Amino acid sequence: MKDIKKEIAAVIAGAVEGLDAEGVEALIEIPADSSMGDYAYPCFRLAKTFRKAPPLIAADIASAISGSPLFEKVQNVNAYVNMFLSKEEFAKTTVDEVLEAKDAFGRSDIGGGKTVIVEYSSPNIAKPFHIGHIRSTVIGNSIYKLYDALGYNVVRINHLGDYGTQFGKMITAYRHWGCEEDVRREPIKTLLSYYVKFHEEAEKDPSLDEEARETFAKLEKGEKEEVELWQWFRSESLKEFSRVYDMLGISFDSYAGESFYSDKMPAVLDELREKGLLKESQGAQIVDLSEWNMAPALITKSDGSSLYITRDIAAAIYRKKTYDFYKNIYVVASQQNLHFQQWFKVLELMGKEWYKDCIHVPFGLVSLEEGTMSTRHGRVVFLEDVLNRAVEKTREIILEKNVNTESADETAKTVGIGAVMFQELSNNRIKDYTFSWDEVLNFDGETGPYVQYTHARACSVLRNAGADIEKLAAGHIDWSYICSDAAYGLVKLIYRFPETVAEAADKFEPSVVTRYIVDVAQGFNKFYHDEHILTDNEDERNAKLLLTFAAMQTIRNGLALLGIKAPEKM
Ligand code: ARG
């Protein structure tokens, strides 16, 4: 997209001696009140250079640039130069760019093919894939799409929690009370019930804990029976996870989870020892972090078994070696802030300068209206159940409202699942929020269904016009028909899409895109209501149809960055 700020800065620097374009560009603002212009240049800081009062400077600059074809009007108000773009020129530039790029509108090659790792979802196997997991899964997926759109080469990793002492408990529980058939029929719910039972029983009989520890030690040593059971739990769990990923339309390039690093830990231990970083503490091996006011990093337990943090260190080193990443991004709950601070510090102490390229992207808690969840007590809401319920409820609404759709089933899936994802991506990620059915399925307001519906409305306008967009775009267009507040306001919004994508990626914040597409949807609806698009005046109709197409395409591309589909009818 043409960078308007840059162009304005060039015009000002070209017309006024003593100003350089870069310095001007840095100061140009977009006034909150559009009656003060599309762009404004404040002259306060120029008093020294020009030895004049800022309002006088502003007046000089305004008259020097007012002849530029870029502007329709230039005014000075106090110390500001207020610039009104030539609407026709701006509308033409913006809409042409969308028509040219289509699905690629918003994409760029800022990333230059550099490799970025995005690690997300990463559930624990043999444990429920619950509503809490939606956060990392959906936010991470959108961050992947944002970086992909910016021309980075993105590697998507699911760092499965498929290792650790809990598997000692699980195997022990299975041996005492397990039933193979039950596990095959309903793996996670069954394994979860064993886990719950284990904790109940272990309270009465602590020797179970001892047995579980020994079992995990055997698993770490690679003993056949333990490994086989563990592998079976893992593959059954993955089957369940995949069902949910399919529903969400999410995939990964690698499922290298914690277990993948079990044979890579001894080398890490050696290196830590060599560098004099390991200390013994009550039989355990730690890295002392007291100098940085952090609890020590526990590297191995007294029985020699490895820990979560050790596997993270091994994984980061492996990833640097394998992918030579430019950035290594972890989309993980803010509850783990300390964990990431600790092991990033360990990498730094190991002399791995690239620790700076490891980024923890935290997010807040999701809670339930009925109270908190607890895996140990079996109080969980399964993500799959939530998605199925969203689809079911959406289906009811579709049938009730007699929605125009080719397949009620397909639309219910797209809209129901889209609604859940959209709400997940609506708030700043760091905010805690309470999952509420009423809000997810509130189809009015700033929701996924509202945006999807607006997109379908634009599609239907284009369909009804029977227009051939390619042919229109190639012909002469009279952009003076795109000058009303509603039409021009919509153009201004569309223009901002590429910079919105860059900002969202920069902040690791998909909600920047979510809020933006709500604005575009509202902008289109205002245009649709205020103006007659399919008028008899052909020139007017053609210009408005192209704007409609551009709005439709922008909403569609924005939804795609959130991982949400945009149905053409609904
Ligand atoms: N499996 C962990 C959990 O469910 C999340 C893993 C986060 N990623 C990491 N590299 N530590 O809490």
Side-chain angles (χ1 to χ4, degrees), residues 49-70:
T49 324
F50 294 106
R51 298 174 183 281
K52 243 197 233 177
L56 294 178
I57 304 173
D60 287 349
I61 296 180
S63 74
I65 63 172
S66 60
S68 160
L70 200 54

Side-chain angles (χ1 to χ4, degrees), residues 119 121-124 133 159-161 258 308 312 319 330-332 336 339-340 343:
E119 185 210 287
S121 199
S122 310
N124 298 325
H133 291 114
H159 187 76
L160 285 178
E258 292 186 45
Y308 181 48
D312 259 326
R319 287 180 194 176
Y330 296 85
V331 185
V332 180
Q336 299 197 26
H339 167 75
F340 281 95
W343 72 261

Side-chain angles (χ1 to χ4, degrees), residues 159 256-266 311 314-316 318-319:
H159 187 76
E258 292 186 45
S259 68
F260 180 75
Y261 301 99
S262 63
D263 63 350
K264 296 169 185 63
M265 253 127 27
R311 295 190 276 276
Y318 173 84
R319 287 180 194 176

Side-chain angles (χ1 to χ4, degrees), residues 169-470:
K169 293 177 188 172
M170 196 77 71
I171 293 172
T172 304
Y174 178 76
R175 282 179 175 152
H176 284 267
W177 317 288
C179 162
E180 185 175 333
E181 252 164 65
D182 290 347
V183 176
R184 290 207 189 281
R185 191 163 23 88
E186 217 180 19
I188 293 189
K189 283 183 182 159
T190 305
L191 291 171
L192 175 66
S193 74
Y194 298 159
Y195 196 66
V196 174
K197 186 161 172 81
F198 180 91
H199 284 279
E200 282 164 6
E201 296 293 323
E203 258 173 47
K204 292 176 253 164
D205 176 6
S207 77
L208 279 170
D209 277 320
E210 190 47 44
E211 188 182 335
R213 256 193 299 279
E214 281 164 17
T215 308
F216 179 60
K218 285 189 190 162
L219 178 63
E220 277 222 291
K221 278 190 212 110
E223 290 196 18
K224 191 161 173 274
E225 242 179 76
E226 278 74 13
V227 169
E228 271 172 10
L229 275 176
W230 166 81
Q231 258 163 357
W232 179 47
F233 294 162
R234 186 180 193 274
S235 63
E236 291 296 329
S237 301
L238 267 179
K239 274 189 218 158
E240 290 216 24
F241 297 160
S242 300
R243 265 206 320 270
V244 178
Y245 293 139
D246 285 348
M247 288 173 95
L248 293 168
I250 284 177
S251 45
F252 298 90
D253 301 305
S254 160
Y255 278 90
E258 292 186 45
S259 68
F260 180 75
Y261 301 99
S262 63
D263 63 350
K264 296 169 185 63
M265 253 127 27
V268 174
L269 284 178
D270 290 345
E271 189 175 340
L272 285 168
R273 199 171 292 114
E274 249 166 54
K275 296 190 165 151
L277 293 168
L278 274 193
K279 261 194 190 165
E280 192 169 314
S281 167
Q282 298 163 358
Q285 300 289 324
I286 63 160
V287 177
D288 184 8
L289 299 173
S290 55
E291 208 177 303
W292 297 275
N293 291 320
M294 283 189 271
L298 248 178
I299 302 293
T300 56
K301 287 197 201 170
S302 53
D303 62 8
S305 57
S306 69
L307 284 140
Y308 181 48
I309 200 165
T310 325
R311 295 190 276 276
D312 259 326
I313 296 170
I317 293 173
Y318 173 84
R319 287 180 194 176
K320 183 67 194 172
K321 205 169 66 198
T322 309
Y323 302 106
D324 192 24
F325 55 73
Y326 166 69
K327 298 279 176 223
N328 177 22
I329 298 166
Y330 296 85
V331 185
V332 180
S334 61
Q335 288 145 302
Q336 299 197 26
N337 281 354
L338 175 63
H339 167 75
F340 281 95
Q341 282 159 14
Q342 284 176 310
W343 72 261
F344 288 174
K345 182 53 91 180
V346 174
L347 284 182
E348 183 185 353
L349 293 174
M350 291 171 90
K352 312 227 177 271
E353 270 310 304
W354 49 264
Y355 82 91
K356 294 190 192 105
D357 305 323
C358 296
I359 300 158
H360 176 208
V361 174
F363 52 82
L365 222 59
V366 50
S367 49
L368 298 171
E369 281 163 319
E370 308 86 70
T372 52
M373 289 190 285
S374 160
T375 316
R376 287 198 185 179
H377 297 95
R379 245 198 337 265
V380 279
V381 175
F382 286 81
L383 182 48
E384 187 172 10
D385 294 344
V386 171
L387 296 176
N388 281 329
R389 194 159 152 201
V391 173
E392 204 30 62
K393 292 207 172 209
T394 308
R395 228 181 91 86
E396 282 164 21
I397 296 173
I398 287 176
L399 296 179
E400 199 180 292
K401 288 195 174 171
N402 226 339
V403 171
N404 166 21
T405 159
E406 261 140 35
S407 152
D409 285 344
E410 267 314 300
T411 307
K413 264 191 216 155
T414 310
V415 176
I417 290 174
V420 175
M421 292 172 85
F422 196 91
Q423 111 129 5
E424 179 55 45
L425 296 168
S426 288
N427 297 317
N428 281 358
R429 62 179 151 74
I430 205 66
K431 272 201 200 155
D432 293 346
Y433 84 99
T434 303
F435 183 89
S436 136
W437 274 112
D438 287 345
E439 266 172 52
V440 172
L441 293 176
N442 174 6
F443 281 23
D444 305 309
E446 305 181 350
T447 61
Y450 167 74
V451 171
Q452 285 174 325
Y453 179 73
T454 306
H455 170 269
R457 165 179 278 169
C459 289
S460 122
V461 170
L462 294 167
R463 252 193 328 268
N464 293 339
D468 179 340
I469 292 297
E470 295 305 326

